[in-house]
């Protein structure tokens, strides 16, 4: 029996899970206890703040270990939003800091899309679409990673919550102007949600959280879709964009699986019905499956695989940087 730790760091805060794994069960892990902090890890000019993450993580780990009656950890996986582009500080500082503080010799630093993949599909080939405010697709044939989109609301995230919300607001403003392509139904929902149409630019443009504000209107688009052809067409277009991203990264093997994870899919049938049709059309060789778990479960699974020497997911300097003592 050994103890492993999974960490999920994102915009809503920090989640931590302690798990146990038996060496006779490669990558098999049982969650023993979890804790969380609602304070997101800071990001500054140097990227994700390693000191701030450690300041939250280390006391929480001590508490979890004490609760479980455990005295050491075999492996840790830290999954973080922005790890690929903003994780240089974490990669430079965390291995030595965690070995010094916790005596951990095995550490994986993973992008949140990778932990989402591991949580959804484990260590099988396929593709995962992670969609909420944004949208990214990640796939692997277990020899390398393939990514599509995830470029942010100005350059991509096509089909994600901000993309749907922005399209719905554009259709509302077209109706307000009297232009073709407008939706009176979406105009009514927009004014109920945000206030008079002429005031929307002043409410939206100064906001630092514009993607989240745009995404907050996506459920209104879904509510209108059953009776409004413009709203329905927006969700059909979003489904096509999501399926295209999945098709771009999914391995061609008939063994490939595709999973959808993230809050966007809580929109339900207005999005999922056209998306299932698009996936069947664009990925006829792949099987669409329900995700087995979330990114925190994925972080714990990667830690267990690292502890038992059974990690099959591809290592990558930015997406999945897995280190053992001999690597340092």
């Amino acid at each position: 029996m050994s103890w492993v730790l999974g960490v999920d760091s994102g915009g809503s805060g920090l989640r931590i899970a302690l798990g146990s794994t038996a060496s006779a069960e490669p990558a098999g892990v049982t969650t023993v206890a979890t804790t969380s902090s609602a304070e997101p890890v800071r990001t500054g000019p140097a990227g994700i703040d390693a000191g701030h993450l450690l300041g939250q993580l280390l006391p929480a780990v001590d508490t979890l270990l004490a609760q479980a009656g455990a005295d050491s950890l075999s492996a840790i996986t830290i999954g973080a939003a922005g790890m690929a582009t903003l994780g240089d500080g974490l990669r430079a500082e965390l291995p030595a800091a965690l070995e010094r503080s916790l005596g951990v010799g095995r550490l994986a630093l993973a992008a949140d899309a990778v932990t989402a993949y591991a949580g959804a599909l484990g260590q099988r080939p396929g593709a995962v679409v992670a969609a909420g405010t944004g949208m990214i697709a990640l796939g692997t044939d277990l020899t390398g990673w393939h990514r599509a989109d995830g470029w942010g609301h100005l350059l991509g995230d096509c089909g994600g919550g901000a993309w749907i919300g922005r399209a719905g607001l554009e259709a509302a403003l077209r109706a307000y102007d009297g232009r073709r392509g407008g939706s009176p139904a979406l105009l009514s929902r927009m004014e109920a949600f945000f206030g008079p149409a002429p005031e929307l630019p002043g409410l939206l443009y100064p906001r630092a959280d514009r993607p989240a504000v745009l995404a907050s209107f996506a459920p209104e688009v879904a509510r209108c879709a059953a009776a409004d052809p413009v709203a329905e067409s927006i969700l059909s277009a979003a489904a096509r964009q999501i399926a295209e991203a999945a098709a771009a990264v999914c391995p061609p093997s008939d063994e490939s699986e595709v999973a959808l994870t993230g809050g966007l899919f809580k929109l339900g049938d207005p999005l999922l019905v056209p998306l299932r049709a698009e996936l069947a059309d664009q990925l006829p060789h792949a099987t669409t499956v329900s995700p087995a778990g979330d990114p925190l479960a994925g972080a714990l699974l990667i830690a267990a695989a690292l502890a038992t020497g059974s990690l099959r997911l591809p290592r990558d300097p930015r997406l999945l940087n897995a280190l053992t003592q001999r690597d340092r």
Side-chain angles (χ1 to χ4, degrees):
M1 181 73 69
S2 60
W3 300 94
V4 295
L5 196 80
V7 179
D8 177 39
S9 175
S12 58
L14 194 69
R15 298 189 301 149
I16 305 166
L18 177 68
S20 64
T21 181
S23 59
E25 300 175 9
V29 62
T30 300
T31 301
V32 175
T34 63
T35 188
S36 63
S37 167
E39 181 183 4
V41 175
R42 289 192 296 263
T43 300
I48 302 170
D49 189 327
H52 190 223
L53 187 149
L54 287 168
Q56 294 190 66
L57 177 63
L58 295 178
V61 173
D62 288 341
T63 299
L64 289 174
L65 289 174
Q67 289 174 348
D71 56 3
S72 65
L73 290 168
S74 296
I76 296 178
T77 295
I78 296 177
M83 180 71 79
T85 55
L86 299 171
D88 286 346
L90 297 186
R91 286 184 282 270
E93 297 181 39
L94 287 188
L98 290 173
E99 186 172 1
R100 183 172 58 250
S101 301
L102 299 173
V104 181
R106 298 179 181 90
L107 170 67
L109 300 176
D112 58 343
V114 170
T115 54
Y117 186 101
L121 293 182
Q123 301 197 84
R124 304 190 300 275
V128 168
V129 176
T133 296
M135 194 284 297
I136 185 171
L138 193 68
T140 183
D141 56 4
L142 302 184
T143 63
W145 292 103
H146 306 278
R147 163 191 166 164
D149 213 334
W151 301 121
H153 76 291
L154 292 178
L155 299 175
D157 285 355
C158 300
W163 188 95
I164 292 171
R166 192 213 61 80
L169 292 172
E170 180 189 347
L173 292 172
R174 283 181 172 273
Y176 180 82
D177 292 342
R179 291 180 287 156
R180 287 190 299 177
S183 165
L186 288 173
L187 174 60
S188 175
R189 294 308 308 146
M190 182 192 77
E191 291 186 323
F193 202 76
F194 290 109
E199 297 179 8
L200 181 61
L203 291 172
L204 180 63
Y205 291 148
R207 297 282 293 265
D209 59 344
R210 283 188 300 275
V213 176
L214 291 170
S216 70
F217 194 65
E220 302 301 319
V221 179
R223 290 186 184 100
C224 290
D228 180 51
V230 175
E232 181 185 24
S233 70
I234 290 170
L235 292 174
S236 294
R240 184 166 58 254
Q241 297 281 355
I242 293 168
E244 286 174 356
V249 302
C250 188
S253 168
D254 288 342
E255 298 177 357
S256 295
E257 297 175 332
V258 178
L260 309 174
T261 183
L264 182 69
F265 301 112
K266 294 178 181 178
L267 294 181
D269 284 351
L271 176 62
L272 292 176
V273 168
L275 179 54
R276 291 187 190 107
E278 288 286 351
L279 290 172
D281 180 59
Q282 297 191 41
L283 284 166
H285 67 281
T287 302
T288 301
V289 299
S290 299
D294 66 3
L296 183 60
L300 205 57
L301 182 145
I302 292 171
L306 196 57
T308 57
S310 58
L311 183 63
R312 298 175 60 214
L313 294 175
R315 301 190 184 204
D316 181 276
R318 293 191 173 274
L319 292 175
L320 179 56
N321 191 9
L323 301 170
T324 61
Q325 286 176 324
R326 67 177 180 270
D327 297 322
R328 300 174 194 169

